[in-house]
Amino acid sequence: MAEVDVAPTFGAELKDGFKPANVWVANGIAWLDDIQNFYRERSMIEKEHSAKLNALAKKYFEKKNKKSASLSVGDTPAMTPGSLENASLTIWTTHLTTLESIADEHEKYANELVQKVADPMKYFAGRFEELRKRHVEYATKLEAERDSSYADLRKTKTKYDAACQEVESKRKKTESSFDKAKAQSQYQQQLQDMNNVKNTYLIAINVTNKQKEKYYHEYIPEVLDSLQDLSEFRTLKLNSLWSTAASLETAMLQQSNSFVDHLAQEVTRNQPHLDSMMYIRHNMGSWQEPADRAFEPSPVWHDDDLMITDEAAKVFLRNVLNKSKGQLGELRREVDKKRREIDGVKRVKQRVREGKENKDEVAVVSQIFAMQEDLHQVDRKRLTAEVETSTITSAVGDVTLGAKNHNFKSQTFKIPTNCDLCGERIWGLSAKGFDCRDCGYTCHSKCEMKVPAECPGELSKDERKKYKAERQSAAGALLKPPTGPPDHAAELPALSRSNTMNSLSSGYAASANRSISGSVVSPRTPAEETPPEPSGPRPAVKKTRLVAPPPAAYISELPGSSVPAKTTTEQKGKMLYSFEANGDGEVSVTEGREVIVLEPDDGTGWIKVRAGYKEGLVPASYIEVFPASIVPQDTGSSLNNRPASTYSNSGSSIGTTGPAVKKKGPAVAPRRGAKKLKYVVALYEYTAQSDTEHSMAEGERFVLIKEDPGDGWAEVEKGGVTKSVPASYVQVATD
């Protein structure tokens, strides 16, 4: 602002401006109440802040005390740490103590704001208001005196006007009066009275004007100047209190900063290795490396730990050795390359930690971890190849020398093709196998490692046909069953189709009333005998494979043997639908298979069963549990103890016009500990073409039951109903 020689005053500049000036000063004094209320509310906030800081520190002190031992030396230390804490916990204690000290400073600052700022401001506001009211009273008195002089002047003017009117009246009477001398005398007397009133009026005018001059140029300016002084005095006091508040806050912040500076110095003392050293000291103990794995003979086939080295085994070992040796060099080079890459990224991490390079260290460490995972996978393959090579070489030597290996390439066969090794058809949705590019040798993927290394080299088309015919002839001879029973087996009774387990897979047998084990099966209602509708017409229909019964079903029926009577009863059941295991603890069981119930449903929707020698969980909705089994009597005849066939002679099981369709079980509730449900989201709108399909709206979510097996359809569940949808219309949900 520009400086002036003399500061302007209210009295010199405003003249008759007391009323608006008074309102302005009154507003300034009233504003002091807002300011002191502000400091009171600030004080309350500081107190609340202090209380919250103290509560926060207390809460985390309690948490620290509970976790102190586990954070310092772990949950199971070899040596008790006593009352010691590691370096990080010590710094954390300093953090919490600093927070409490800062909270105390805020509490002190809150109390001083009220005592040294808010209360004095309230006191001065009251005193200033009283003084302003005195100014108002005095100004009102001056205004009343001015108005009184104006009223007296008006009264004098009224007397003067009345005297003039009386003079005129007396003058008119002198003209019409009979006693002119008397009238003239009265006129002259009245004229003198008028002159006296006039003089009084003129004197009153001068007095009034002088009082007016004093009022506007002396009295009111003095009051205005005093009012201005009052306003400026208020500003001085306000500045003083503001300075006090600022100094109080500065002191609080400086003290808090000193606490924080002390904390920062303590943090620098926390070296990263101190915590690790303390943990190591309190957890050092004796450790013994687990013993190497040793060969464990099968409980049903007693053998030793020597490798089989006959000709058939050498063929397999030669192929494994050739494959491992072929991969070993490339794997070693890849391992070395990945290790060099990891070392380079580790150097980058060190530069980032030293502040020499501006990168996200967490991202760099994540990159190192991902690269180490890749290295681990490749190094495991390298180690496997090295051990395979050394193991086979030590057992049979380098059998790859002189071998004529086939030039196998993975191949998908579009036409029916037989395996040249085993003679069986290479079948399936993808029909994948291997094909030698030189001689045309074809085989299953499972037969690749059993093919002898006897490739004749590149052959012409005719030569390939000739070798193909010879190989197929040799493979076909392997498929012919022997004409007599094997030497190690006793003569078995003749088995018809009714004696096989395939009869159990039929869900249409209404005449079946006895299981293989001989237990009586409760009759089923016609509704139960009706198979459920297939899940959809689009998936390819597969024929049920014939499965021979396990030896336990008929091994006791050898000539001269007898079936011992069972002394214990086991609860049994029958699979209504086929179930394929999808997780740990589950077991795959075919439709119609009889099982033994080991643990009933405990409310989770799963039952533990034993099927043959396998045990595991199956959905409770997939199994029909029989009543308590009836123990058959032993008649001493093995033939009498053969279980009655469960093969049905009804028209629903024989003479059918079409292939059997595999029944589909109901939706299965997720088992505790099972894999997380996978969801799919509809990409497009789709209208169901039959009852076996779901209609979809774009963006609608479904539970994925079964992914596309290759026929273009996926099975999903919505509202407890499982149906098919086009696989290309949905995608797996990412959230």
Side-chain angles (χ1 to χ4, degrees):
M1 295 177 61
E3 295 183 358
V4 294
D5 296 336
V6 179
T9 62
F10 284 7
E13 303 296 335
L14 301 181
K15 300 302 181 183
D16 190 21
F18 176 79
K19 288 185 178 180
N22 175 60
V23 173
W24 180 74
V25 173
N27 290 338
I29 295 173
W31 182 42
L32 295 179
D33 286 337
D34 292 342
I35 298 175
Q36 64 101 5
N37 286 330
F38 162 78
Y39 282 111
R40 292 185 188 278
E41 291 186 13
R42 173 70 185 277
S43 174
M44 293 176 61
I45 292 174
E46 292 293 335
K47 288 185 177 181
E48 291 176 358
H49 181 56
S50 174
K52 288 182 179 180
L53 291 181
N54 278 320
L56 183 65
K58 180 180 178 182
K59 174 182 176 182
Y60 282 90
F61 262 124
E62 293 175 353
K63 287 190 174 184
K64 179 188 74 70
N65 293 334
K66 293 179 180 178
K67 299 180 180 179
S68 177
S70 61
L71 290 175
S72 297
V73 296
D75 294 332
T76 57
M79 181 174 64
T80 305
S83 60
L84 295 179
E85 294 180 343
N86 63 13
S88 294
L89 279 177
T90 303
I91 300 301
W92 180 235
T93 302
T94 305
H95 268 83
L96 299 179
T97 305
T98 301
L99 187 63
E100 288 182 332
S101 300
I102 293 175
D104 294 340
E105 286 298 317
H106 281 277
E107 178 73 19
K108 178 182 176 183
Y109 172 61
N111 294 330
E112 289 180 341
L113 275 181
V114 175
Q115 297 171 3
K116 297 183 179 181
V117 179
D119 287 345
M121 191 172 293
K122 181 179 181 181
Y123 169 76
F124 284 116
R127 297 295 301 276
F128 291 154
E129 182 64 18
E130 291 178 2
L131 191 55
R132 185 193 66 81
K133 290 180 179 179
R134 291 287 300 276
H135 284 72
V136 172
E137 291 174 358
Y138 183 58
T140 302
K141 179 180 179 182
L142 291 177
E143 185 179 4
E145 289 177 351
R146 183 201 64 181
D147 293 341
S148 176
S149 64
Y150 286 163
D152 292 342
L153 181 60
R154 286 193 297 271
K155 289 179 181 180
T156 303
K157 175 65 168 56
T158 301
K159 290 181 180 180
Y160 171 69
D161 291 339
C164 290
Q165 185 66 32
E166 187 66 24
V167 169
E168 182 64 20
S169 176
K170 293 296 183 181
R171 186 188 65 78
K172 289 181 179 181
K173 284 184 178 181
T174 59
E175 294 177 355
S176 60
S177 177
F178 295 101
D179 190 354
K180 291 189 179 292
K182 184 178 179 181
Q184 188 65 29
S185 175
Q186 290 178 347
Y187 170 71
Q188 291 296 328
Q189 183 65 37
Q190 189 63 39
L191 186 60
Q192 292 177 359
D193 292 340
M194 182 196 70
N195 291 334
N196 292 334
V197 173
K198 176 182 178 182
N199 290 335
T200 302
Y201 176 53
L202 292 175
I203 293 171
I205 289 175
N206 290 334
V207 171
T208 301
N209 288 337
K210 197 64 178 178
Q211 290 178 344
K212 181 205 69 167
E213 182 181 354
K214 280 282 187 179
Y215 177 80
Y216 286 109
H217 294 279
E218 185 175 343
Y219 301 149
I220 288 299
E222 288 179 354
V223 176
L224 285 172
D225 290 343
S226 179
L227 197 62
Q228 179 182 357
D229 183 68
L230 173 61
S231 176
E232 293 174 355
F233 181 49
R234 173 193 61 80
T235 302
L236 288 174
K237 285 297 181 183
L238 180 59
N239 289 342
S240 175
L241 294 173
W242 274 345
S243 298
T244 302
S247 63
L248 292 175
E249 187 166 5
T250 301
M252 182 267 293
L253 293 176
Q254 289 177 347
Q255 190 65 25
S256 299
N257 286 336
S258 67
F259 293 141
V260 176
D261 291 341
H262 173 69
L263 174 61
Q265 294 175 0
E266 291 295 315
V267 170
T268 58
R269 298 173 53 192
N270 185 24
Q271 299 299 321
H273 67 277
L274 296 178
D275 293 350
S276 302
M277 294 300 296
M278 182 174 182
Y279 179 81
I280 292 172
R281 285 198 307 269
H282 289 82
N283 287 273
M284 288 189 301
S286 59
W287 176 80
Q288 185 176 1
E289 183 177 356
D292 292 342
R293 299 292 181 177
F295 175 77
E296 297 180 5
S298 171
V300 298
W301 189 268
H302 301 291
D303 205 346
D304 52 28
D305 58 353
L306 299 179
M307 291 190 67
I308 307 301
T309 57
D310 57 18
E311 289 303 319
K314 282 185 178 180
V315 171
F316 174 78
L317 294 176
R318 180 186 297 112
N319 290 331
V320 174
L321 180 60
N322 182 67
K323 185 175 182 180
S324 299
K325 287 177 65 177
Q327 296 175 348
L328 190 55
E330 181 63 27
L331 290 174
R332 285 173 175 170
R333 289 190 293 272
E334 189 173 357
V335 167
D336 292 340
K337 177 184 176 182
K338 289 185 178 296
R339 282 179 176 162
R340 289 194 298 270
E341 292 175 350
I342 291 175
D343 291 340
V345 180
K346 285 183 177 179
R347 289 192 292 270
V348 172
K349 184 192 76 170
Q350 187 62 29
R351 291 197 297 271
V352 172
R353 184 163 295 180
E354 294 172 354
K356 298 178 180 179
E357 193 165 340
N358 185 19
K359 285 188 177 181
D360 185 359
E361 185 174 351
V362 175
V364 175
V365 174
S366 299
Q367 181 183 0
I368 293 175
F369 193 81
M371 295 174 68
Q372 287 176 336
E373 287 183 333
D374 294 340
L375 172 62
H376 173 72
Q377 296 299 327
V378 178
D379 196 47
R380 279 177 58 87
K381 293 179 181 178
R382 177 198 61 78
L383 181 63
T384 301
E386 286 182 350
V387 175
E388 287 178 350
T389 301
S390 62
T391 302
I392 296 175
T393 304
S394 63
V396 295
D398 191 354
V399 292
T400 60
L401 298 176
K404 299 177 181 180
N405 297 311
H406 288 277
N407 184 17
F408 279 131
K409 297 293 181 183
S410 180
Q411 177 73 20
T412 300
F413 299 99
K414 304 298 183 181
I415 60 176
T417 305
N418 291 337
C419 176
D420 289 343
L421 181 68
C422 65
E424 294 185 357
R425 179 67 56 86
I426 302 176
W427 63 278
L429 292 175
S430 56
K432 286 187 177 181
F434 287 94
D435 177 23
C436 179
R437 297 299 175 90
D438 296 334
C439 66
Y441 197 105
T442 57
C443 66
H444 291 99
S445 298
K446 63 181 180 179
C447 296
E448 177 197 6
M449 304 308 291
K450 295 184 288 186
V451 176
E454 299 172 353
C455 180
E458 295 188 11
L459 300 177
S460 64
K461 186 175 182 181
D462 293 337
E463 290 174 333
R464 286 194 177 195
K465 288 183 178 179
K466 176 183 176 183
Y467 274 92
K468 186 74 171 177
E470 293 176 356
R471 289 194 293 262
Q472 289 294 324
S473 176
L478 296 176
L479 295 177
K480 294 180 180 180
T483 57
D487 297 336
H488 61 275
E491 183 179 357
L492 301 178
L495 294 178
S496 65
R497 183 176 184 275
S498 62
N499 299 126
T500 66
M501 283 292 292
N502 188 48
S503 60
L504 289 178
S505 63
S506 172
Y508 307 91
S511 61
N513 59 3
R514 187 176 296 275
S515 64
I516 288 180
S517 60
S519 60
V520 177
V521 180
S522 59
R524 299 175 62 181
T525 63
E528 292 173 333
E529 295 288 38
T530 303
E533 290 295 327
S535 59
R538 286 174 170 77
V541 178
K542 298 181 180 180
K543 295 183 178 180
T544 304
R545 299 179 64 184
L546 301 181
V547 182
Y554 54 81
I555 195 67
S556 62
E557 299 178 7
L558 299 176
S561 65
S562 61
V563 180
K566 296 185 179 180
T567 58
T568 59
T569 59
E570 295 175 326
Q571 190 172 13
K572 298 184 179 181
K574 181 178 181 180
M575 295 299 294
L576 301 177
Y577 313 98
S578 295
F579 175 71
E580 295 182 1
N582 294 317
D584 296 338
E586 300 176 7
V587 62
S588 298
V589 190
T590 58
E591 172 193 345
R593 178 75 179 271
E594 285 197 357
V595 295
I596 297 175
V597 178
L598 301 179
E599 296 179 7
D601 180 12
D602 58 358
T604 60
W606 295 78
I607 297 178
K608 185 173 183 180
V609 301
R610 181 169 65 238
Y613 64 92
K614 295 183 179 180
E615 296 181 359
L617 298 171
V618 297
S621 57
Y622 277 53
I623 183 173
E624 176 189 6
V625 179
F626 297 152
S629 302
I630 301 176
V631 181
Q633 298 294 327
D634 182 12
T635 60
S637 173
S638 61
L639 294 178
N640 293 335
N641 288 331
R642 283 186 62 88
S645 171
T646 55
Y647 176 73
S648 173
N649 292 325
S650 64
S652 60
S653 60
I654 53 177
T656 55
T657 59
V661 179
K662 185 178 180 179
K663 293 195 291 183
K664 170 131 175 64
V668 181
R671 183 169 53 85
R672 292 190 181 97
K675 294 183 292 185
K676 185 178 179 182
L677 291 179
K678 185 181 293 186
Y679 293 87
V680 293
V681 180
L683 298 175
Y684 314 102
E685 183 178 355
Y686 177 74
T687 302
Q689 305 299 317
S690 66
D691 294 337
T692 61
E693 299 174 9
H694 267 305
S695 295
M696 298 187 299
E698 183 177 352
E700 190 174 6
R701 290 170 64 93
F702 297 86
V703 177
L704 179 62
I705 301 300
K706 186 177 182 181
E707 296 182 354
D708 177 19
D711 59 356
W713 293 84
E715 295 180 10
V716 298
E717 183 267 332
K718 182 76 171 182
V721 180
T722 301
K723 295 184 180 181
S724 300
V725 296
S728 59
Y729 276 54
V730 295
Q731 70 175 6
V732 178
T734 57
D735 53 343

